[in-house]
């Protein structure tokens, strides 16, 4: 069988993804539902021979977020040199926001925004070049991911014994097989650093029955007992959430799960149902302990709401992971002191502290452009969330921010309710915890 397209998941240079390539799995599922034959070449865990495929197919589609974009360009160059008859398509958040640059970088076609409808049209019409803007699909078209095209066992293993990734802290016992999943698309807010500021997409929700079907499948096929929902904001629509949690309880699937949600959506009834449906951890985009900073970021949630959300989660036995950012525009020492205080006083269970990074397409990127903060020949591979991107947004230098981060993490993890957990994880997995601690303290 000759596939209609090979979809390529790029492996960013510095960082291994522990999650299935959900965007390509969604694209492939849509193509299959429309009678087309995609195949996935996953650079993170290849189970296909790319050269063999490129010798046969007419189209190669590459996905790229910002940190993976340099790898996508490199791969495209190789394909154009060795397989000139193959039409290359690039899609994903980075080329969506910089489509002209992607054409200049040598891709034949750039798909902006959602790829499902655009890709079907390209394959059916035999399009060979240009920028194609993707229309958004509807709720009923959010199909279950085409997991048969990748090595699911590998991704299951990647999430086990990963004490260095706080998002996976909810997996207990530590050897419970886990999978990632998306049940919604979009978020109606527009924080200045987030992709949703340019997406302008309405929220879409996978039909609840389909979510349950997918979880039942994951359990039966791969023995999965824990689900990592990677949705931007899963608690946004109370009626959908209540229906999902209710059906999960009734299904007796007994899986447990983690997700992200905004503080202002943590309605008690919803949290109580979520906890009964197996919710073990919620990541809250706290960002800062200062209302001034939250205002600048256009977060539209207050520090008081963040405190309250953590209190409510604790009440229902749900762990909280507070996501914090340092290096925000106009951030002062006093703001940073308040953030450090938030981490202690809120009694959040874990904290992840990153440096604010301006991604193309966001309001933050424009602000940096207007102020002349962006270096020429920017190295996008450094936008991988591991270290600070090469842009100084606040008054503090990179090493000052690293100092603040170190002292915040030390204070946080030396508390009576966090230290034993940390110690347990160090003893269970000294190698990866050493890496985690040294990276976190950079
Ligand atoms: C899941 C996820 C992850 C997973 C990765 C899973 C994986 N293997 O893909 C994990 C947790 C590992 C992760 C890590 C990081 N992530 Co992340 N992640 C997401 C998240 C929540 C969902 C991605 C997704 O599947 N979306 C749903 C699909 C349907 O949307 P999509 O990806 O845009 O894909 C559609 C189109 O873009 C297009 N498309 C995509 N590829 C292609 C290819 C072709 C050929 C075509 C035609 C179309 C096409 O069609 C798709 C279907 O409509 C997004 C936010 C979001 N909601 O999208 C952030 C997001 C992608 N992540 C982001 C970031 C910043 C990171 C990190 C740097 C860490 C961090 N600080 O958050 C790291 C970098 C990791 C790395 N090395 O790549 C940013 C990216 C910004 C940017 N410009 O690069 C996003 C947008 C969130 C944000 N903060 O704004 N992430
Ligand atoms: S609330 Fe979260 S997902 Fe929504 S726009 Fe803000 S940062 Fe993005």
């Amino acid at each position: 069988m000759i596939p209609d397209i090979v979809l390529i998941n790029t492996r960013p240079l510095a960082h291994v993804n522990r999650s299935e390539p959900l965007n390509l799995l969604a694209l492939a599922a849509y193509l299959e539902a429309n009678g087309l034959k995609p195949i996935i070449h996953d650079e993170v865990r290849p189970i296909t021979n790319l050269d063999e495929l490129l010798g046969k197919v007419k189209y190669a589609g590459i996905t790229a977020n910002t940190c993976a974009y340099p790898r996508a360009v490199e791969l495209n160059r190789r394909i154009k040199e060795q397989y000139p008859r193959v039409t290359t398509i690039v899609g994903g958040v980075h080329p969506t926001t910089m489509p002209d640059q992607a054409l200049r970088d040598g891709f034949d076609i750039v798909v902006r925004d959602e790829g499902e409808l655009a890709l079907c049209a390209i394959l059916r019409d035999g399009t060979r070049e240009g920028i194609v803007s993707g229309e958004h699909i509807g709720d009923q078209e959010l199909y279950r991911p085409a997991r048969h095209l990748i090595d699911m066992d590998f991704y299951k293993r990647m999430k086990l014994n990963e004490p260095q990734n706080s998002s996976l802290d909810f997996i207990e016992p530590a050897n419970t097989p886990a999978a990632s999943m998306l049940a919604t698309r979009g978020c109606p807010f527009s924080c200045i650093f987030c992709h949703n500021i340019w997406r302008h997409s309405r929220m879409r929700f996978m039909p609840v029955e389909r979510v349950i079907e997918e979880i039942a499948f994951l359990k039966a096929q791969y023995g999965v007992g824990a689900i990592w929902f990677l949705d931007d904001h899963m608690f946004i629509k109370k009626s959908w959430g209540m229906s999902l949690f209710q059906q999960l309880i009734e299904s007796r699937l007994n899986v447990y799960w983690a997700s992200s949600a905004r503080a202002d959506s943590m309605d008690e009834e919803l949290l109580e149902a979520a906890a009964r449906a197996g919710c073990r951890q919620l990541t809250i985009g706290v960002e800062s302990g200062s209302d001034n900073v939250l205002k600048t970021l256009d977060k539209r949630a207050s520090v008081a709401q963040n405190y309250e959300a953590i209190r409510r989660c604790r009440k229902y036995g749900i762990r909280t992971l507070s996501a914090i950012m340092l290096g925000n525009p106009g951030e002062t020492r006093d703001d940073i002191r308040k953030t450090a205080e938030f981490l202690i006083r809120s009694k959040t269970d874990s904290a992840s502290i990153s440096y604010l990074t301006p991604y193309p397409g966001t309001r933050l990127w424009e602000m940096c452009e207007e102020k002349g903060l962006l270096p020429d020949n920017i190295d996008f591979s450094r936008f991988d969330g591991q270290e600070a991107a090469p842009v100084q947004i606040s008054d503090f230098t990179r090493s000052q921010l690293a100092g603040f981060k170190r002292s915040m993490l030390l204070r946080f993890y030396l508390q009576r309710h966090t230290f034993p957990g940390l110690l347990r994880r160090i003893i269970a997995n000294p190698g990866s915890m050493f890496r985690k601690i040294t990276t976190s303290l950079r």
Side-chain angles (χ1 to χ4, degrees), residues 9-82:
N9 183 36
T10 35
R11 177 181 177 146
L13 304 174
H15 183 100
V16 176
N17 282 342
R18 301 195 180 278
S19 166
E20 301 87 299
L22 293 169
N23 50 10
L24 293 188
L25 297 185
L27 274 180
Y30 187 88
L31 295 181
E32 286 182 344
N34 282 276
L36 292 155
K37 296 185 294 293
I39 193 154
I40 292 181
H41 178 74
D42 183 359
E43 285 199 329
V44 175
R45 174 63 168 185
I47 50 169
T48 47
N49 180 323
L50 185 59
D51 285 286
E52 222 169 75
L53 289 170
L54 289 170
K56 291 193 229 167
V57 293
K58 287 193 186 142
Y59 287 97
I62 306 174
T63 185
N65 60 13
T66 296
C67 65
Y69 185 71
R71 171 65 192 143
V73 172
E74 185 182 293
L75 191 59
N76 181 62
R77 202 170 297 133
R78 174 165 100 74
I79 298 175
K80 296 310 302 177
E81 273 167 21
Q82 296 179 7

Side-chain angles (χ1 to χ4, degrees), residues 186-197 232-233 262 285 287 298-299:
C187 168
F189 291 87
S190 44
C191 305
I192 66 167
F193 54 87
C194 179
H195 66 113
N196 286 307
I197 196 167
D232 282 340
H233 184 10
R262 282 175 57 95
E287 325 301 2
D298 202 11
K299 191 74 205 179

Side-chain angles (χ1 to χ4, degrees), residues 210-280:
R210 212 175 282 168
V211 182
I212 304 285
E213 243 174 65
E214 177 65 3
I215 296 175
F217 168 78
L218 285 169
K219 194 169 175 181
Q221 183 77 12
Y222 304 110
V224 160
I227 309 280
W228 183 20
F229 282 106
L230 281 155
D231 303 74
D232 282 340
H233 184 10
M234 219 176 137
F235 279 38
I236 182 87
K237 187 172 171 190
K238 187 171 173 185
S239 56
W240 181 84
M242 286 302 287
S243 157
L244 174 61
F245 304 153
Q246 207 49 50
Q247 289 200 36
L248 256 177
I249 296 166
E250 283 161 19
S251 72
R252 296 183 196 278
L253 282 166
N254 290 328
V255 292
Y256 56 87
W257 51 275
S259 173
S260 295
R262 282 175 57 95
D264 55 358
S265 65
M266 301 225 182
D267 172 274
E268 297 241 10
E269 197 186 3
L270 203 51
L271 278 180
E272 195 261 342
R276 282 199 295 126
C279 179
R280 289 260 183 101

Side-chain angles (χ1 to χ4, degrees), residues 130-149:
I131 297 176
V132 181
S133 287
E135 302 275 310
H136 291 176
I137 53 170
D139 308 53
Q140 291 297 334
E141 292 161 308
L142 294 179
Y143 297 120
R144 289 172 42 205
R147 297 184 193 266
H148 56 284
L149 298 177

Side-chain angles (χ1 to χ4, degrees), residues 2 45 50 68 153 208 218 229 243 307 334 396 426:
I2 299 180
R45 174 63 168 185
L50 185 59
D153 287 333
V208 166
L218 285 169
F229 282 106
S243 157
Y307 272 111
D334 192 47
F396 299 108
I426 293 174

Side-chain angles (χ1 to χ4, degrees), residues 119-342:
L119 207 45
C120 273
I122 290 168
L123 299 184
R124 292 218 164 108
D125 302 347
T127 310
R128 301 299 300 271
E129 59 184 16
I131 297 176
V132 181
S133 287
E135 302 275 310
H136 291 176
I137 53 170
D139 308 53
Q140 291 297 334
E141 292 161 308
L142 294 179
Y143 297 120
R144 289 172 42 205
R147 297 184 193 266
H148 56 284
L149 298 177
I150 58 162
D151 184 351
M152 273 299 292
D153 287 333
F154 165 79
Y155 284 104
K156 249 169 42 184
R157 281 198 305 277
M158 289 297 280
K159 296 185 196 75
L160 296 185
N161 293 316
E162 278 305 326
Q164 75 268 33
N165 186 341
S166 311
S167 304
L168 299 175
D169 280 354
F170 76 103
I171 303 180
E172 182 78 53
N175 61 355
T176 312
S180 310
M181 199 176 157
L182 286 167
T184 61
R185 271 198 202 175
C187 168
F189 291 87
S190 44
C191 305
I192 66 167
F193 54 87
C194 179
H195 66 113
N196 286 307
I197 196 167
W198 54 258
R199 278 204 202 256
H200 311 297
S201 61
R202 70 177 177 83
M203 285 289 304
R204 269 81 35 89
F205 300 87
M206 189 184 271
V208 166
E209 300 66 32
R210 212 175 282 168
V211 182
I212 304 285
E213 243 174 65
E214 177 65 3
I215 296 175
F217 168 78
L218 285 169
K219 194 169 175 181
Q221 183 77 12
Y222 304 110
V224 160
I227 309 280
W228 183 20
F229 282 106
L230 281 155
D231 303 74
D232 282 340
H233 184 10
M234 219 176 137
F235 279 38
I236 182 87
K237 187 172 171 190
K238 187 171 173 185
S239 56
W240 181 84
M242 286 302 287
S243 157
L244 174 61
F245 304 153
Q246 207 49 50
Q247 289 200 36
L248 256 177
I249 296 166
E250 283 161 19
S251 72
R252 296 183 196 278
L253 282 166
N254 290 328
V255 292
Y256 56 87
W257 51 275
S259 173
S260 295
R262 282 175 57 95
D264 55 358
S265 65
M266 301 225 182
D267 172 274
E268 297 241 10
E269 197 186 3
L270 203 51
L271 278 180
E272 195 261 342
R276 282 199 295 126
C279 179
R280 289 260 183 101
Q281 175 166 293
L282 288 175
T283 300
I284 306 173
V286 167
E287 325 301 2
S288 169
S290 154
D291 278 314
N292 287 342
V293 172
L294 294 185
K295 222 170 262 155
T296 311
L297 299 175
D298 202 11
K299 191 74 205 179
R300 299 187 199 187
S302 65
V303 175
Q305 281 171 314
N306 286 330
Y307 272 111
E308 175 60 13
I310 291 170
R311 191 194 65 76
R312 286 188 186 179
C313 286
R314 211 172 32 251
K315 176 169 166 193
Y316 294 105
I318 298 173
R319 291 174 49 84
T320 49
L321 165 58
S322 292
I324 299 291
M325 294 192 310
L326 287 176
N328 300 298
E331 192 170 48
T332 62
R333 267 178 203 277
D334 192 47
D335 294 326
I336 293 174
R337 185 191 55 73
K338 286 180 179 158
T339 303
E341 190 181 293
F342 180 91

